[in-house]
Amino acid sequence: MQFIILLRGVNVGGKNRVPMSVLKQYLIDTGFTNVRSHINSGNLIVDSAEGTEQDILVKCQNILASYFAFPVDIVIISGKKYQMELAGIPTWWGEDADYKHNALFLLPSANKKEIVELLSAIDTTYEKVYIGKHAIFWSSAFKNNYSKTYYSKLAHQSFYKKVTIRNRNTTLKLLNYLED
């Protein structure tokens, strides 16, 4: 069974360095197969005979805790759930070239109900938000009016540390890896 592994906050600005080639080898040594990564920001696709996301999460947490001296939050999504999630996204996500298009994947510790309540109050003049089962798909003005968006203030919101963010290109590239 295929799984997507998303690490939060690694290899950003020289902090929390996790070389993907090294992590891939640790994953292989632990029994994962067909291990692939996309760019150096913590995007991996693996195959595993173990069938639950929780099993994969625990295994990955153990690997990271054993080999790296800092905590790393992880999102695990089965390939099937990832494909279903992306099959249901709105057509506007990615349409406007002047907008920034991101997917915010919810960490296991995220309080989805609280996040939904907070995001339901967003003024959609300069952005659009779609809340899926495992991610929030967000398009916001970027070239003009970015400072007027809620997204521009996201890093100061309480739930920011409860998500890991991928841009549209990375989100779709991971989908392509699943379909190869």
Side-chain angles (χ1 to χ4, degrees):
M1 188 169 181
Q2 290 183 305
F3 293 90
I4 299 282
I5 302 170
L6 303 173
L7 307 181
R8 184 183 190 283
V10 299
N11 304 331
V12 179
K15 295 182 181 176
N16 297 337
R17 186 161 151 60
V18 177
M20 289 300 107
S21 60
V22 172
L23 181 55
K24 284 169 52 177
Q25 189 58 55
Y26 292 149
L27 291 166
I28 291 166
D29 293 347
T30 309
F32 292 100
T33 58
N34 198 19
V35 178
R36 295 156 285 162
S37 65
H38 174 67
I39 62 177
N40 201 34
S41 58
N43 308 292
L44 299 116
I45 303 93
V46 300
D47 288 348
S48 176
E50 296 182 43
T52 72
E53 292 164 344
Q54 186 62 35
D55 292 337
I56 304 307
L57 177 65
V58 169
K59 237 179 173 180
C60 289
Q61 287 171 329
N62 290 338
I63 290 169
L64 290 163
S66 295
Y67 296 105
F68 300 97
F70 47 86
V72 178
D73 287 318
I74 312 165
V75 171
I76 306 294
I77 305 174
S78 74
K80 185 172 275 191
K81 286 182 183 177
Y82 192 87
Q83 289 169 320
M84 288 173 35
E85 183 84 351
L86 288 168
I89 59 174
T91 57
W92 52 255
W93 192 68
E95 273 186 341
D96 192 333
D98 291 336
Y99 272 46
K100 179 181 242 182
H101 307 282
N102 290 305
L104 289 68
F105 292 91
L106 304 174
L107 294 172
S109 60
N111 181 333
K112 186 175 178 182
K113 182 180 177 188
E114 181 181 294
I115 293 169
V116 168
E117 287 175 12
L118 186 63
L119 296 180
S120 65
I122 289 179
D123 175 3
T124 58
T125 304
Y126 301 108
E127 56 202 321
K128 294 178 182 179
V129 176
Y130 169 77
I131 301 168
K133 287 188 174 198
H134 307 283
I136 299 162
F137 296 88
W138 202 319
S139 293
S140 64
F142 187 63
K143 294 182 179 179
N144 298 312
N145 300 307
Y146 182 66
S147 64
K148 296 178 183 176
T149 66
Y150 189 84
Y151 192 86
S152 69
K153 299 158 190 66
L154 187 63
H156 303 292
Q157 301 306 315
S158 60
F159 76 89
Y160 177 71
K161 292 186 177 185
K162 301 296 181 180
V163 298
T164 185
I165 302 170
R166 299 301 185 271
N167 67 33
R168 185 174 188 273
N169 290 339
T170 296
T171 303
L172 295 178
K173 185 67 173 180
L174 293 172
L175 179 64
N176 289 339
Y177 279 125
L178 291 171
E179 295 172 347
D180 284 346

